[in-house]
Amino acid sequence: VQLQASGGGLVQAGGSLRLSCAASGRTFGSYVMGWFRLAPGKERLFVAVISASGGNTIYADSAKGRFTVSRDNAKNMLYLQLNSLKPEDTAIYYCARSSRFTTTTMYYDSWGQGTQVTVSS
């Protein structure tokens, strides 16, 4: 599978962005999908995960109440709505695929190339 993330950009604090992740192949709806982020000088961190059906989600504490993960299996698309953005949300955001409903990076076997989100103060 190939994953292509997009939608990043430069936004002021308090603003919003919608990230998208397009997946190739016919099995998108069979997999758990996650979002992670990598900030300068830090390790890649979990942001959100959504089950294959879209019925279950988990968010990192930093994302709760501000970010919303969703998917459209008919379109092979994954989304991450980012609201009330803060400068500390600045990072490269990656989408990834897993066979497990997990927040653990090691269980994700396919990764997109990432999209840069920069939040100015």
Side-chain angles (χ1 to χ4, degrees):
V1 67
Q2 288 189 329
L3 302 174
Q4 178 94 19
S6 62
L10 174 62
V11 64
Q12 288 187 331
S16 298
L17 285 172
R18 189 193 195 199
L19 307 184
S20 298
C21 176
S24 63
R26 300 180 181 181
T27 60
F28 175 75
S30 300
Y31 287 93
V32 171
M33 297 297 297
W35 286 99
F36 296 79
R37 67 187 185 185
L38 179 63
K42 297 185 178 181
E43 63 182 7
R44 186 155 49 186
L45 297 176
F46 164 77
V47 175
V49 59
I50 187 166
S51 62
S53 68
N56 293 289
T57 58
I58 300 175
Y59 295 93
D61 287 344
S62 60
K64 289 178 182 176
R66 299 189 300 128
F67 298 176
T68 302
V69 60
S70 61
R71 66 191 298 164
D72 185 337
N73 287 344
K75 296 182 178 179
N76 279 16
M77 294 294 296
L78 172 72
Y79 305 100
L80 185 67
Q81 178 68 40
L82 309 174
N83 294 330
S84 302
L85 282 162
K86 305 174 182 179
E88 51 263 43
D89 294 319
T90 295
I92 302 173
Y93 284 71
Y94 298 87
C95 55
R97 184 193 78 172
S98 177
S99 297
R100 300 187 184 203
F101 187 62
T102 180
T103 63
T104 305
T105 307
M106 66 178 288
Y107 293 114
Y108 287 79
D109 60 2
S110 295
W111 293 80
Q113 87 290 358
T115 185
Q116 176 72 49
V117 171
T118 302
V119 184
S120 63
S121 57

